Amino acid sequence: GRDGETATLKRMAKRAQGTPLSVTPKLLDSHTRGQSHKACTSSQIFHGKSSSSGSGSGSQSCHSGMLDTEFKKALEEARDAKLLPTRAHGLATLTGLVRRMARIRREGERNSVVAKNTLDQVIKTARNVLETEEDEFLFTRAIVLLSEVGKVDTEGTLDILLEYLTDDADHALQIKIGETISQICRYVRGKGVRFSRSRSVKLLVKLVSVISAFKDDVENEKSIGDVKVRALLSASALASLGEACPLFSREVFNERANEAVTVTIDAINFSLQPQQHVQPELRRSSFFFFEQLLLTLCRDTPKVLEKANMTKLWETLRKARVHEEDTAARILAGRAAEMLERRVLT
């Protein structure tokens, strides 16, 4: 009867509560989509606590062993040279484990040591996939994994990601790297911290160089296909730059804001040339960056931005919010223009 079915379902749900992530595909899929997983094993493994009362040294040792076993198994799967599904499952499992590790980042020194040793292996595995794997699905899994690692070891992960933003790197890889940098910066923004001066210089200079390369391709009369790809790379870099605006060292940002504005306005103007047929993503990201820049500079905008740059910026935004054909880009331009008006008039 209905009561019997209900009782059966309750028993099944009770058994499933303690099922480890690595052997539950549906729970694994929920992790890769960013959904939270509240199984008791998450707290027990990473906090070194038992579900029963008390948590002696024997219990901590046991749970540390469980953590090592989870990561060891996932790393072995991710490095499997024979089966693609096994490697994909290993990468996805690592992503879930690192995500849970990020949630307990503020635990004791002992957990931090375990995390550091583990992260070194995880990063090495992800990099190996990026550099040797041709399968797009595995490639994407590795990118997602690095984005989660970036929440635990932000600066170390950014160093690795920036190494791939070079002229000779695969364009598809660079676009995904840019998206990952954006995700990491968005996460760090929520923590209310800033990058060091050296980190700010390194990130800002690299992103600006990617943006300026689009103008170089147009001026060198590269093929339309090359220009379109370069435009997408620039759009990705601009989105990252926008997310990173409040994270940069104030001194570094004030020093280099004018250069970033000039390069971005040039990219917008070149993208509007009829013969280029450039997608609107570059202009959307540009106007997003301008809005974030103005939010970050706040009342210092007239002091930091040169008068000539403010004039060019105003003209660019004014034209875009009237004549831009792409709706999203037009809305973003309008928001940035209104913000510039407030910054200059107040």
Side-chain angles (χ1 to χ4, degrees), residues 147-166:
S147 71
E148 291 300 325
V149 174
K151 297 177 181 179
V152 181
D153 180 15
T154 300
E155 298 209 349
T157 306
L158 285 176
D159 281 341
I160 293 171
L161 295 174
L162 291 176
E163 292 178 12
Y164 294 99
L165 294 182
T166 59

Side-chain angles (χ1 to χ4, degrees), residues 178-339:
E179 294 171 356
T180 305
I181 292 175
S182 293
Q183 293 171 11
I184 293 174
C185 290
R186 194 177 305 125
Y187 170 80
V188 177
R189 285 178 67 160
K191 298 171 67 176
V193 299
R194 286 184 180 271
F195 293 142
S196 64
R197 177 180 175 83
S198 59
R199 169 73 47 222
S200 298
V201 170
K202 188 172 184 178
L203 181 58
L204 205 159
V205 168
K206 176 63 73 173
L207 294 176
V208 169
S209 69
V210 173
I211 300 165
S212 62
F214 169 68
K215 173 187 173 183
D216 296 338
D217 277 5
V218 175
E219 290 182 331
N220 293 330
E221 298 182 349
K222 293 289 186 70
S223 68
I224 292 178
D226 290 338
V227 170
K228 284 187 174 183
V229 171
R230 181 64 71 180
L232 290 176
L233 291 176
S234 296
S236 178
L238 280 161
S240 298
L241 194 59
E243 294 288 358
C245 277
L247 303 176
F248 290 126
S249 157
R250 175 71 71 177
E251 181 183 2
V252 171
F253 192 59
N254 289 353
E255 289 173 357
R256 298 181 177 270
N258 281 288
E259 178 188 5
V261 169
T262 299
V263 168
T264 304
I265 291 176
D266 287 342
I268 293 173
N269 291 335
F270 278 103
S271 75
L272 292 172
Q273 293 180 3
Q275 68 272 23
Q276 300 303 334
H277 306 287
V278 173
Q279 308 94 314
E281 284 82 0
L282 185 145
R283 296 191 296 281
R284 293 176 191 171
S285 297
S286 297
F287 300 139
F288 168 73
F289 161 61
F290 287 147
E291 181 184 23
Q292 297 303 308
L293 175 139
L294 294 168
L295 275 170
T296 303
L297 293 179
C298 197
R299 294 183 179 181
D300 290 336
T301 299
K303 300 177 184 178
V304 174
L305 293 186
E306 298 170 356
K307 185 175 181 180
N309 257 343
M310 280 206 297
T311 301
K312 289 180 181 178
L313 178 56
W314 169 247
E315 288 297 320
T316 300
L317 295 174
R318 183 183 63 81
K319 291 178 181 177
R321 70 176 178 180
V322 175
H323 302 294
E324 172 62 56
E325 295 180 357
D326 181 74
T327 303
R330 188 170 62 251
I331 292 173
L332 287 168
R335 284 165 44 176
E338 292 174 2
M339 191 160 296

Side-chain angles (χ1 to χ4, degrees), residues 19-33 35 37 89 92-93 141:
T19 307
L21 176 65
S22 59
V23 295
T24 313
K26 289 185 178 180
L27 290 179
L28 176 63
D29 289 341
S30 72
H31 265 281
T32 59
R33 292 193 300 267
Q35 299 176 3
H37 171 55
H89 182 268
T93 304
R141 287 287 191 185

